[in-house]
Amino acid sequence: MGNAKKRVLSGMQPTGSLHIGHYLGVLTNYASLQPDYDCFFMIADWHSMTVFYPEFRKAHSFIPGIVSDWLAAGIDPEKAVIFLQSNVPMHSELQLILSMYTPVSWLERNPTYKEKQEIIDRDIDSHGFLGYPVLQAADILLYNAELVPIGEDQIPHLELTREIARRFNHFNVKDNDIFMLPKPLLSRFPKVLGTDGQKMSKSYGNTIMLTETPEKLDQKIRKMKTDTNRVRRNDPGNPENCPVYSYYDFFAEDKKSEISAACRNASIGCIECKKLIIERMNNVLDPFRTRKNEVDKNPDIVADILRDGARKAKDAAGETMDRVRDGMGFHF
Ligand code: SF4
């Protein structure tokens, strides 16, 4: 392959505009991987169809905004291949091939299959939803990705990809295995709390969006709940029970111990404490907003990046599909 860097593949579904949970949990991780790995970052629009198929046009409308968020967060098309899954039809071809090697029982056993059916308030009783781990396997194996950045809780999902790859290799024995077995690149995906103290999620209505103006950010943080024991200014508090304090981890780590002590002995009030974190958040978000504005002024930037990414992704996917077809005996 002529590239000494290990290849990494990761994807994000276009299910809505991005919030600071995505920024802190995923985008900063993507940006940090770029110097050391051969990165392929995919907008997984076919995956979003499993849930969003009745309103797929809407899911697709999020794509330009997501790409400009990625760029504003420092993901660089000169250092990583940024592409849209549906622009590379080989994902679908490999999914079909791998689906023949995947016993249905493996898919039914998939813990998220049952879990999601219970929590998602949509009709997802489809062949596509049951088979989404096969599409996931195709995404990873198509690029011969050696590493997949995941949290510890996602290891069983990657194991299913490895099982499918092993089974395919077993039935299509050549001098070398056709698929390399991908390994996890264990990454820390911090749980970011929303304005109500629950996990930040659009479905809870507790998000701070990346596109929030400084005024809106100010309003949201000022209204945030804090430690409920701090009713009056001189009540001592416990920062561990306060979602505002959790933002100090990401935006003002240098101030954490000082704020923790001041909260516990009531030498600081919540208004002052929130003011400081708002200022720190704006220090991080201001350059993001500026870069995003620049990209959004010129929609051709996103279109060009996706076109160029599709070309590079197709080249890499094409090499794999040549090996797959050859290994299986598709010679005519
Ligand atoms: S002082 Fe800060 S950490 Fe303590 S409860 Fe108020 S907002 Fe939370």
PDB file of all heavy atoms in Angstrom, residues 240-275:
ATOM      1  N   GLU A 240     -19.435  17.647  42.530  1.00  0.00           N
ATOM      2  CA  GLU A 240     -19.659  16.355  41.850  1.00  0.00           C
ATOM      3  C   GLU A 240     -21.131  16.185  41.480  1.00  0.00           C
ATOM      4  O   GLU A 240     -21.466  15.350  40.641  1.00  0.00           O
ATOM      5  CB  GLU A 240     -19.207  15.176  42.735  1.00  0.00           C
ATOM      6  CG  GLU A 240     -17.738  15.206  43.150  1.00  0.00           C
ATOM      7  CD  GLU A 240     -16.762  15.349  41.973  1.00  0.00           C
ATOM      8  OE1 GLU A 240     -17.079  14.824  40.896  1.00  0.00           O
ATOM      9  OE2 GLU A 240     -15.724  16.011  42.143  1.00  0.00           O
ATOM     10  N   ASN A 241     -22.015  16.931  42.107  1.00  0.00           N
ATOM     11  CA  ASN A 241     -23.445  16.838  41.767  1.00  0.00           C
ATOM     12  C   ASN A 241     -23.885  17.947  40.815  1.00  0.00           C
ATOM     13  O   ASN A 241     -25.074  18.238  40.720  1.00  0.00           O
ATOM     14  CB  ASN A 241     -24.301  16.952  43.045  1.00  0.00           C
ATOM     15  CG  ASN A 241     -24.023  15.815  43.989  1.00  0.00           C
ATOM     16  OD1 ASN A 241     -23.607  14.747  43.555  1.00  0.00           O
ATOM     17  ND2 ASN A 241     -24.227  16.036  45.286  1.00  0.00           N
ATOM     18  N   CYS A 242     -22.932  18.565  40.150  1.00  0.00           N
ATOM     19  CA  CYS A 242     -23.263  19.738  39.348  1.00  0.00           C
ATOM     20  C   CYS A 242     -22.796  19.558  37.897  1.00  0.00           C
ATOM     21  O   CYS A 242     -21.592  19.422  37.643  1.00  0.00           O
ATOM     22  CB  CYS A 242     -22.580  20.960  39.973  1.00  0.00           C
ATOM     23  SG  CYS A 242     -22.778  22.422  38.959  1.00  0.00           S
ATOM     24  N   PRO A 243     -23.724  19.572  36.944  1.00  0.00           N
ATOM     25  CA  PRO A 243     -23.300  19.400  35.544  1.00  0.00           C
ATOM     26  C   PRO A 243     -22.430  20.538  35.031  1.00  0.00           C
ATOM     27  O   PRO A 243     -21.590  20.328  34.150  1.00  0.00           O
ATOM     28  CB  PRO A 243     -24.623  19.319  34.769  1.00  0.00           C
ATOM     29  CG  PRO A 243     -25.686  19.829  35.670  1.00  0.00           C
ATOM     30  CD  PRO A 243     -25.195  19.645  37.083  1.00  0.00           C
ATOM     31  N   VAL A 244     -22.599  21.731  35.594  1.00  0.00           N
ATOM     32  CA  VAL A 244     -21.750  22.856  35.163  1.00  0.00           C
ATOM     33  C   VAL A 244     -20.285  22.521  35.469  1.00  0.00           C
ATOM     34  O   VAL A 244     -19.391  22.734  34.639  1.00  0.00           O
ATOM     35  CB  VAL A 244     -22.158  24.164  35.880  1.00  0.00           C
ATOM     36  CG1 VAL A 244     -21.208  25.301  35.523  1.00  0.00           C
ATOM     37  CG2 VAL A 244     -23.598  24.534  35.549  1.00  0.00           C
ATOM     38  N   TYR A 245     -20.070  21.947  36.639  1.00  0.00           N
ATOM     39  CA  TYR A 245     -18.694  21.606  37.033  1.00  0.00           C
ATOM     40  C   TYR A 245     -18.088  20.581  36.069  1.00  0.00           C
ATOM     41  O   TYR A 245     -16.893  20.603  35.787  1.00  0.00           O
ATOM     42  CB  TYR A 245     -18.683  21.067  38.471  1.00  0.00           C
ATOM     43  CG  TYR A 245     -17.298  20.766  38.985  1.00  0.00           C
ATOM     44  CD1 TYR A 245     -16.377  21.781  39.230  1.00  0.00           C
ATOM     45  CD2 TYR A 245     -16.892  19.445  39.210  1.00  0.00           C
ATOM     46  CE1 TYR A 245     -15.096  21.505  39.695  1.00  0.00           C
ATOM     47  CE2 TYR A 245     -15.611  19.155  39.672  1.00  0.00           C
ATOM     48  CZ  TYR A 245     -14.722  20.194  39.904  1.00  0.00           C
ATOM     49  OH  TYR A 245     -13.455  19.919  40.347  1.00  0.00           O
ATOM     50  N   SER A 246     -18.940  19.691  35.530  1.00  0.00           N
ATOM     51  CA  SER A 246     -18.400  18.668  34.615  1.00  0.00           C
ATOM     52  C   SER A 246     -17.788  19.325  33.377  1.00  0.00           C
ATOM     53  O   SER A 246     -16.895  18.764  32.755  1.00  0.00           O
ATOM     54  CB  SER A 246     -19.478  17.653  34.227  1.00  0.00           C
ATOM     55  OG  SER A 246     -20.411  18.237  33.333  1.00  0.00           O
ATOM     56  N   TYR A 247     -18.234  20.518  33.009  1.00  0.00           N
ATOM     57  CA  TYR A 247     -17.652  21.203  31.836  1.00  0.00           C
ATOM     58  C   TYR A 247     -16.239  21.712  32.115  1.00  0.00           C
ATOM     59  O   TYR A 247     -15.476  21.962  31.186  1.00  0.00           O
ATOM     60  CB  TYR A 247     -18.544  22.370  31.383  1.00  0.00           C
ATOM     61  CG  TYR A 247     -19.890  21.947  30.827  1.00  0.00           C
ATOM     62  CD1 TYR A 247     -20.872  22.880  30.534  1.00  0.00           C
ATOM     63  CD2 TYR A 247     -20.196  20.607  30.586  1.00  0.00           C
ATOM     64  CE1 TYR A 247     -22.111  22.498  30.027  1.00  0.00           C
ATOM     65  CE2 TYR A 247     -21.437  20.218  30.084  1.00  0.00           C
ATOM     66  CZ  TYR A 247     -22.384  21.167  29.811  1.00  0.00           C
ATOM     67  OH  TYR A 247     -23.604  20.785  29.315  1.00  0.00           O
ATOM     68  N   TYR A 248     -15.905  21.867  33.401  1.00  0.00           N
ATOM     69  CA  TYR A 248     -14.538  22.276  33.735  1.00  0.00           C
ATOM     70  C   TYR A 248     -13.522  21.220  33.267  1.00  0.00           C
ATOM     71  O   TYR A 248     -12.384  21.541  32.949  1.00  0.00           O
ATOM     72  CB  TYR A 248     -14.402  22.549  35.244  1.00  0.00           C
ATOM     73  CG  TYR A 248     -14.837  23.948  35.614  1.00  0.00           C
ATOM     74  CD1 TYR A 248     -16.182  24.258  35.730  1.00  0.00           C
ATOM     75  CD2 TYR A 248     -13.912  24.962  35.812  1.00  0.00           C
ATOM     76  CE1 TYR A 248     -16.598  25.554  36.041  1.00  0.00           C
ATOM     77  CE2 TYR A 248     -14.307  26.258  36.124  1.00  0.00           C
ATOM     78  CZ  TYR A 248     -15.646  26.547  36.229  1.00  0.00           C
ATOM     79  OH  TYR A 248     -16.040  27.821  36.520  1.00  0.00           O
ATOM     80  N   ASP A 249     -13.960  19.939  33.238  1.00  0.00           N
ATOM     81  CA  ASP A 249     -13.071  18.868  32.753  1.00  0.00           C
ATOM     82  C   ASP A 249     -12.573  19.160  31.349  1.00  0.00           C
ATOM     83  O   ASP A 249     -11.446  18.847  30.994  1.00  0.00           O
ATOM     84  CB  ASP A 249     -13.851  17.544  32.650  1.00  0.00           C
ATOM     85  CG  ASP A 249     -13.888  16.809  33.962  1.00  0.00           C
ATOM     86  OD1 ASP A 249     -13.018  17.071  34.792  1.00  0.00           O
ATOM     87  OD2 ASP A 249     -14.799  15.978  34.139  1.00  0.00           O
ATOM     88  N   PHE A 250     -13.456  19.710  30.533  1.00  0.00           N
ATOM     89  CA  PHE A 250     -13.132  19.880  29.109  1.00  0.00           C
ATOM     90  C   PHE A 250     -12.620  21.280  28.784  1.00  0.00           C
ATOM     91  O   PHE A 250     -11.845  21.456  27.856  1.00  0.00           O
ATOM     92  CB  PHE A 250     -14.374  19.617  28.249  1.00  0.00           C
ATOM     93  CG  PHE A 250     -15.083  18.338  28.581  1.00  0.00           C
ATOM     94  CD1 PHE A 250     -16.361  18.346  29.107  1.00  0.00           C
ATOM     95  CD2 PHE A 250     -14.440  17.127  28.380  1.00  0.00           C
ATOM     96  CE1 PHE A 250     -17.005  17.157  29.416  1.00  0.00           C
ATOM     97  CE2 PHE A 250     -15.075  15.934  28.689  1.00  0.00           C
ATOM     98  CZ  PHE A 250     -16.367  15.946  29.211  1.00  0.00           C
ATOM     99  N   PHE A 251     -13.112  22.270  29.497  1.00  0.00           N
ATOM    100  CA  PHE A 251     -12.833  23.640  29.067  1.00  0.00           C
ATOM    101  C   PHE A 251     -11.960  24.429  30.049  1.00  0.00           C
ATOM    102  O   PHE A 251     -11.456  25.489  29.684  1.00  0.00           O
ATOM    103  CB  PHE A 251     -14.149  24.409  28.851  1.00  0.00           C
ATOM    104  CG  PHE A 251     -15.019  23.819  27.768  1.00  0.00           C
ATOM    105  CD1 PHE A 251     -16.109  23.032  28.075  1.00  0.00           C
ATOM    106  CD2 PHE A 251     -14.718  24.052  26.425  1.00  0.00           C
ATOM    107  CE1 PHE A 251     -16.908  22.486  27.074  1.00  0.00           C
ATOM    108  CE2 PHE A 251     -15.506  23.507  25.412  1.00  0.00           C
ATOM    109  CZ  PHE A 251     -16.601  22.725  25.737  1.00  0.00           C
ATOM    110  N   ALA A 252     -11.820  23.963  31.285  1.00  0.00           N
ATOM    111  CA  ALA A 252     -11.055  24.765  32.257  1.00  0.00           C
ATOM    112  C   ALA A 252     -10.446  23.842  33.308  1.00  0.00           C
ATOM    113  O   ALA A 252     -10.619  24.040  34.509  1.00  0.00           O
ATOM    114  CB  ALA A 252     -11.980  25.793  32.908  1.00  0.00           C
ATOM    115  N   GLU A 253      -9.714  22.837  32.821  1.00  0.00           N
ATOM    116  CA  GLU A 253      -9.160  21.851  33.749  1.00  0.00           C
ATOM    117  C   GLU A 253      -8.252  22.503  34.787  1.00  0.00           C
ATOM    118  O   GLU A 253      -8.215  22.077  35.945  1.00  0.00           O
ATOM    119  CB  GLU A 253      -8.400  20.788  32.958  1.00  0.00           C
ATOM    120  CG  GLU A 253      -8.644  19.417  33.543  1.00  0.00           C
ATOM    121  CD  GLU A 253      -7.855  18.324  32.890  1.00  0.00           C
ATOM    122  OE1 GLU A 253      -7.312  18.563  31.783  1.00  0.00           O
ATOM    123  OE2 GLU A 253      -7.785  17.250  33.502  1.00  0.00           O
ATOM    124  N   ASP A 254      -7.539  23.556  34.362  1.00  0.00           N
ATOM    125  CA  ASP A 254      -6.604  24.239  35.269  1.00  0.00           C
ATOM    126  C   ASP A 254      -7.321  24.876  36.458  1.00  0.00           C
ATOM    127  O   ASP A 254      -6.712  25.179  37.471  1.00  0.00           O
ATOM    128  CB  ASP A 254      -5.820  25.318  34.494  1.00  0.00           C
ATOM    129  CG  ASP A 254      -6.749  26.318  33.815  1.00  0.00           C
ATOM    130  OD1 ASP A 254      -7.721  25.882  33.166  1.00  0.00           O
ATOM    131  OD2 ASP A 254      -6.520  27.538  33.952  1.00  0.00           O
ATOM    132  N   LYS A 255      -8.633  25.091  36.340  1.00  0.00           N
ATOM    133  CA  LYS A 255      -9.366  25.778  37.415  1.00  0.00           C
ATOM    134  C   LYS A 255     -10.147  24.800  38.305  1.00  0.00           C
ATOM    135  O   LYS A 255     -10.822  25.216  39.258  1.00  0.00           O
ATOM    136  CB  LYS A 255     -10.383  26.754  36.794  1.00  0.00           C
ATOM    137  CG  LYS A 255      -9.757  27.972  36.180  1.00  0.00           C
ATOM    138  CD  LYS A 255      -9.459  28.959  37.288  1.00  0.00           C
ATOM    139  CE  LYS A 255      -8.831  30.218  36.787  1.00  0.00           C
ATOM    140  NZ  LYS A 255      -8.413  31.089  37.878  1.00  0.00           N
ATOM    141  N   LYS A 256     -10.096  23.504  37.949  1.00  0.00           N
ATOM    142  CA  LYS A 256     -10.974  22.541  38.627  1.00  0.00           C
ATOM    143  C   LYS A 256     -10.822  22.502  40.151  1.00  0.00           C
ATOM    144  O   LYS A 256     -11.801  22.587  40.881  1.00  0.00           O
ATOM    145  CB  LYS A 256     -10.712  21.133  38.075  1.00  0.00           C
ATOM    146  CG  LYS A 256     -11.596  20.784  36.908  1.00  0.00           C
ATOM    147  CD  LYS A 256     -11.468  19.328  36.539  1.00  0.00           C
ATOM    148  CE  LYS A 256     -12.290  18.468  37.479  1.00  0.00           C
ATOM    149  NZ  LYS A 256     -12.188  17.049  37.172  1.00  0.00           N
ATOM    150  N   SER A 257      -9.568  22.357  40.592  1.00  0.00           N
ATOM    151  CA  SER A 257      -9.416  22.181  42.048  1.00  0.00           C
ATOM    152  C   SER A 257      -9.800  23.468  42.786  1.00  0.00           C
ATOM    153  O   SER A 257     -10.428  23.420  43.857  1.00  0.00           O
ATOM    154  CB  SER A 257      -8.016  21.699  42.425  1.00  0.00           C
ATOM    155  OG  SER A 257      -7.084  22.482  41.790  1.00  0.00           O
ATOM    156  N   GLU A 258      -9.460  24.602  42.195  1.00  0.00           N
ATOM    157  CA  GLU A 258      -9.814  25.888  42.821  1.00  0.00           C
ATOM    158  C   GLU A 258     -11.347  26.020  42.938  1.00  0.00           C
ATOM    159  O   GLU A 258     -11.885  26.380  43.991  1.00  0.00           O
ATOM    160  CB  GLU A 258      -9.251  26.997  41.923  1.00  0.00           C
ATOM    161  CG  GLU A 258      -9.354  28.383  42.459  1.00  0.00           C
ATOM    162  CD  GLU A 258      -8.934  29.382  41.367  1.00  0.00           C
ATOM    163  OE1 GLU A 258      -7.923  29.148  40.670  1.00  0.00           O
ATOM    164  OE2 GLU A 258      -9.640  30.375  41.232  1.00  0.00           O
ATOM    165  N   ILE A 259     -12.055  25.693  41.839  1.00  0.00           N
ATOM    166  CA  ILE A 259     -13.526  25.821  41.830  1.00  0.00           C
ATOM    167  C   ILE A 259     -14.146  24.810  42.792  1.00  0.00           C
ATOM    168  O   ILE A 259     -15.097  25.105  43.524  1.00  0.00           O
ATOM    169  CB  ILE A 259     -14.084  25.613  40.395  1.00  0.00           C
ATOM    170  CG1 ILE A 259     -13.688  26.791  39.509  1.00  0.00           C
ATOM    171  CG2 ILE A 259     -15.600  25.403  40.387  1.00  0.00           C
ATOM    172  CD1 ILE A 259     -14.355  28.111  39.841  1.00  0.00           C
ATOM    173  N   SER A 260     -13.584  23.606  42.796  1.00  0.00           N
ATOM    174  CA  SER A 260     -14.126  22.561  43.673  1.00  0.00           C
ATOM    175  C   SER A 260     -14.082  23.032  45.133  1.00  0.00           C
ATOM    176  O   SER A 260     -15.081  22.965  45.867  1.00  0.00           O
ATOM    177  CB  SER A 260     -13.316  21.276  43.485  1.00  0.00           C
ATOM    178  OG  SER A 260     -13.698  20.340  44.429  1.00  0.00           O
ATOM    179  N   ALA A 261     -12.905  23.563  45.550  1.00  0.00           N
ATOM    180  CA  ALA A 261     -12.764  24.024  46.937  1.00  0.00           C
ATOM    181  C   ALA A 261     -13.695  25.208  47.204  1.00  0.00           C
ATOM    182  O   ALA A 261     -14.380  25.269  48.238  1.00  0.00           O
ATOM    183  CB  ALA A 261     -11.312  24.415  47.197  1.00  0.00           C
ATOM    184  N   ALA A 262     -13.762  26.133  46.234  1.00  0.00           N
ATOM    185  CA  ALA A 262     -14.574  27.341  46.441  1.00  0.00           C
ATOM    186  C   ALA A 262     -16.063  27.009  46.501  1.00  0.00           C
ATOM    187  O   ALA A 262     -16.820  27.652  47.231  1.00  0.00           O
ATOM    188  CB  ALA A 262     -14.294  28.338  45.316  1.00  0.00           C
ATOM    189  N   CYS A 263     -16.481  25.995  45.741  1.00  0.00           N
ATOM    190  CA  CYS A 263     -17.893  25.573  45.769  1.00  0.00           C
ATOM    191  C   CYS A 263     -18.194  24.942  47.131  1.00  0.00           C
ATOM    192  O   CYS A 263     -19.203  25.244  47.768  1.00  0.00           O
ATOM    193  CB  CYS A 263     -18.141  24.582  44.633  1.00  0.00           C
ATOM    194  SG  CYS A 263     -19.788  23.862  44.625  1.00  0.00           S
ATOM    195  N   ARG A 264     -17.265  24.091  47.591  1.00  0.00           N
ATOM    196  CA  ARG A 264     -17.494  23.374  48.853  1.00  0.00           C
ATOM    197  C   ARG A 264     -17.527  24.324  50.056  1.00  0.00           C
ATOM    198  O   ARG A 264     -18.226  24.068  51.017  1.00  0.00           O
ATOM    199  CB  ARG A 264     -16.404  22.302  49.068  1.00  0.00           C
ATOM    200  CG  ARG A 264     -16.564  21.112  48.130  1.00  0.00           C
ATOM    201  CD  ARG A 264     -15.381  20.145  48.240  1.00  0.00           C
ATOM    202  NE  ARG A 264     -15.269  19.319  47.044  1.00  0.00           N
ATOM    203  CZ  ARG A 264     -15.972  18.223  46.825  1.00  0.00           C
ATOM    204  NH1 ARG A 264     -16.831  17.800  47.725  1.00  0.00           N
ATOM    205  NH2 ARG A 264     -15.815  17.542  45.713  1.00  0.00           N
ATOM    206  N   ASN A 265     -16.750  25.414  49.993  1.00  0.00           N
ATOM    207  CA  ASN A 265     -16.798  26.322  51.149  1.00  0.00           C
ATOM    208  C   ASN A 265     -17.625  27.590  50.869  1.00  0.00           C
ATOM    209  O   ASN A 265     -17.577  28.555  51.607  1.00  0.00           O
ATOM    210  CB  ASN A 265     -15.379  26.662  51.654  1.00  0.00           C
ATOM    211  CG  ASN A 265     -14.589  27.470  50.630  1.00  0.00           C
ATOM    212  OD1 ASN A 265     -15.170  28.132  49.765  1.00  0.00           O
ATOM    213  ND2 ASN A 265     -13.273  27.412  50.723  1.00  0.00           N
ATOM    214  N   ALA A 266     -18.359  27.535  49.753  1.00  0.00           N
ATOM    215  CA  ALA A 266     -19.288  28.614  49.378  1.00  0.00           C
ATOM    216  C   ALA A 266     -18.598  29.969  49.211  1.00  0.00           C
ATOM    217  O   ALA A 266     -19.217  31.018  49.376  1.00  0.00           O
ATOM    218  CB  ALA A 266     -20.442  28.712  50.386  1.00  0.00           C
ATOM    219  N   SER A 267     -17.307  29.948  48.862  1.00  0.00           N
ATOM    220  CA  SER A 267     -16.655  31.238  48.609  1.00  0.00           C
ATOM    221  C   SER A 267     -16.884  31.711  47.168  1.00  0.00           C
ATOM    222  O   SER A 267     -16.463  32.800  46.794  1.00  0.00           O
ATOM    223  CB  SER A 267     -15.157  31.173  48.950  1.00  0.00           C
ATOM    224  OG  SER A 267     -14.525  30.225  48.129  1.00  0.00           O
ATOM    225  N   ILE A 268     -17.494  30.879  46.364  1.00  0.00           N
ATOM    226  CA  ILE A 268     -17.874  31.311  45.014  1.00  0.00           C
ATOM    227  C   ILE A 268     -19.369  31.023  44.846  1.00  0.00           C
ATOM    228  O   ILE A 268     -19.890  30.025  45.378  1.00  0.00           O
ATOM    229  CB  ILE A 268     -17.040  30.584  43.926  1.00  0.00           C
ATOM    230  CG1 ILE A 268     -17.292  31.195  42.538  1.00  0.00           C
ATOM    231  CG2 ILE A 268     -17.351  29.091  43.864  1.00  0.00           C
ATOM    232  CD1 ILE A 268     -16.369  30.652  41.444  1.00  0.00           C
ATOM    233  N   GLY A 269     -20.055  31.883  44.122  1.00  0.00           N
ATOM    234  CA  GLY A 269     -21.471  31.647  43.835  1.00  0.00           C
ATOM    235  C   GLY A 269     -21.610  31.016  42.461  1.00  0.00           C
ATOM    236  O   GLY A 269     -20.689  31.063  41.632  1.00  0.00           O
ATOM    237  N   CYS A 270     -22.780  30.425  42.200  1.00  0.00           N
ATOM    238  CA  CYS A 270     -22.983  29.729  40.923  1.00  0.00           C
ATOM    239  C   CYS A 270     -22.918  30.701  39.741  1.00  0.00           C
ATOM    240  O   CYS A 270     -22.435  30.336  38.666  1.00  0.00           O
ATOM    241  CB  CYS A 270     -24.312  28.982  40.931  1.00  0.00           C
ATOM    242  SG  CYS A 270     -24.293  27.617  42.104  1.00  0.00           S
ATOM    243  N   ILE A 271     -23.380  31.936  39.945  1.00  0.00           N
ATOM    244  CA  ILE A 271     -23.380  32.889  38.820  1.00  0.00           C
ATOM    245  C   ILE A 271     -21.942  33.139  38.356  1.00  0.00           C
ATOM    246  O   ILE A 271     -21.629  33.096  37.173  1.00  0.00           O
ATOM    247  CB  ILE A 271     -24.076  34.214  39.229  1.00  0.00           C
ATOM    248  CG1 ILE A 271     -25.561  33.924  39.476  1.00  0.00           C
ATOM    249  CG2 ILE A 271     -23.902  35.291  38.162  1.00  0.00           C
ATOM    250  CD1 ILE A 271     -26.352  35.099  40.019  1.00  0.00           C
ATOM    251  N   GLU A 272     -21.086  33.353  39.354  1.00  0.00           N
ATOM    252  CA  GLU A 272     -19.666  33.621  39.042  1.00  0.00           C
ATOM    253  C   GLU A 272     -19.003  32.397  38.396  1.00  0.00           C
ATOM    254  O   GLU A 272     -18.249  32.502  37.419  1.00  0.00           O
ATOM    255  CB  GLU A 272     -18.968  33.956  40.360  1.00  0.00           C
ATOM    256  CG  GLU A 272     -17.677  34.696  40.224  1.00  0.00           C
ATOM    257  CD  GLU A 272     -17.024  34.845  41.609  1.00  0.00           C
ATOM    258  OE1 GLU A 272     -17.761  34.920  42.622  1.00  0.00           O
ATOM    259  OE2 GLU A 272     -15.799  34.851  41.648  1.00  0.00           O
ATOM    260  N   CYS A 273     -19.336  31.234  38.937  1.00  0.00           N
ATOM    261  CA  CYS A 273     -18.754  29.980  38.442  1.00  0.00           C
ATOM    262  C   CYS A 273     -19.198  29.724  36.994  1.00  0.00           C
ATOM    263  O   CYS A 273     -18.407  29.300  36.147  1.00  0.00           O
ATOM    264  CB  CYS A 273     -19.228  28.855  39.367  1.00  0.00           C
ATOM    265  SG  CYS A 273     -18.626  27.245  38.944  1.00  0.00           S
ATOM    266  N   LYS A 274     -20.457  30.041  36.709  1.00  0.00           N
ATOM    267  CA  LYS A 274     -20.968  29.859  35.344  1.00  0.00           C
ATOM    268  C   LYS A 274     -20.330  30.874  34.391  1.00  0.00           C
ATOM    269  O   LYS A 274     -20.039  30.550  33.239  1.00  0.00           O
ATOM    270  CB  LYS A 274     -22.493  30.026  35.328  1.00  0.00           C
ATOM    271  CG  LYS A 274     -23.225  28.833  35.949  1.00  0.00           C
ATOM    272  CD  LYS A 274     -24.724  29.078  35.971  1.00  0.00           C
ATOM    273  CE  LYS A 274     -25.466  27.829  36.384  1.00  0.00           C
ATOM    274  NZ  LYS A 274     -26.920  28.019  36.435  1.00  0.00           N
ATOM    275  N   LYS A 275     -20.134  32.080  34.896  1.00  0.00           N
ATOM    276  CA  LYS A 275     -19.534  33.123  34.049  1.00  0.00           C
ATOM    277  C   LYS A 275     -18.146  32.696  33.570  1.00  0.00           C
ATOM    278  O   LYS A 275     -17.790  32.873  32.404  1.00  0.00           O
ATOM    279  CB  LYS A 275     -19.412  34.413  34.879  1.00  0.00           C
ATOM    280  CG  LYS A 275     -19.767  35.648  34.099  1.00  0.00           C
ATOM    281  CD  LYS A 275     -19.893  36.819  35.038  1.00  0.00           C
ATOM    282  CE  LYS A 275     -19.020  37.939  34.532  1.00  0.00           C
ATOM    283  NZ  LYS A 275     -18.884  39.031  35.455  1.00  0.00           N
TER     284      LYS A 275
END
